[in-house]
Amino acid sequence: MRDLLLQSSGLLAIVAALIHGVLGETKVFARATIEPKRVRTLIRAVWQAGTVAWVGGGVLLIAASWMESDQARHWIVVTFVVVYAFAALGNAWALRGRHFGWIAMSAVVALALAGY
């Protein structure tokens, strides 16, 4: 059961990351006027770096459920619980709880801890 919870956590992390990336491109950067152009490109790349990192975290959470090493499982879960919890808190605080992102990231944290 704990492996299924950890895999669910990883899958939700990947879905949340992909939604983050798509919404960034279609809603945020489609309307943003950031000058100079190279700064806009930099901010867009940093935004998508978060997306890629969260997808990687999801992949590692899924992979942790198949690992024989309890120590590897421990550090993968602990590391990504901190990453997603920090992101969830930042999202909830910055957007005053009016965005679903903090809920999705909190669910990733809860599932990862339950699967730990």
Side-chain angles (χ1 to χ4, degrees), residues 13-14 17-18 20-21 45-59 80 84:
I14 292 168
L18 293 175
H20 175 266
V46 170
W47 180 287
Q48 295 304 347
T51 300
V52 171
W54 291 344
V55 167
V59 169
F80 285 103
Y84 284 95

Side-chain angles (χ1 to χ4, degrees), residues 7-115:
Q7 291 167 356
S8 298
S9 172
L11 184 59
L12 181 57
I14 292 168
V15 169
L18 293 175
I19 291 171
H20 175 266
V22 169
L23 289 179
E25 292 298 325
T26 60
K27 301 291 184 190
V28 176
F29 292 109
R31 296 185 213 162
T33 53
I34 303 168
E35 295 296 330
K37 188 171 173 85
R38 70 178 185 280
V39 172
R40 177 184 170 93
T41 303
L42 174 65
I43 292 172
R44 188 179 231 158
V46 170
W47 180 287
Q48 295 304 347
T51 300
V52 171
W54 291 344
V55 167
V59 169
L60 285 174
L61 287 168
I62 292 168
S65 68
W66 298 321
M67 292 182 177
E68 299 291 327
S69 170
D70 284 336
Q71 191 173 22
R73 181 185 188 114
H74 167 81
W75 285 110
I76 289 170
V77 172
V78 167
T79 300
F80 285 103
V81 161
V82 170
V83 168
Y84 284 95
F86 184 80
L89 289 171
N91 185 293
W93 176 70
L95 299 174
R96 296 185 179 101
R98 294 184 298 233
H99 187 273
F100 70 91
W102 73 271
I103 297 169
M105 290 182 276
S106 296
V108 169
V109 169
L111 286 169
L113 288 173

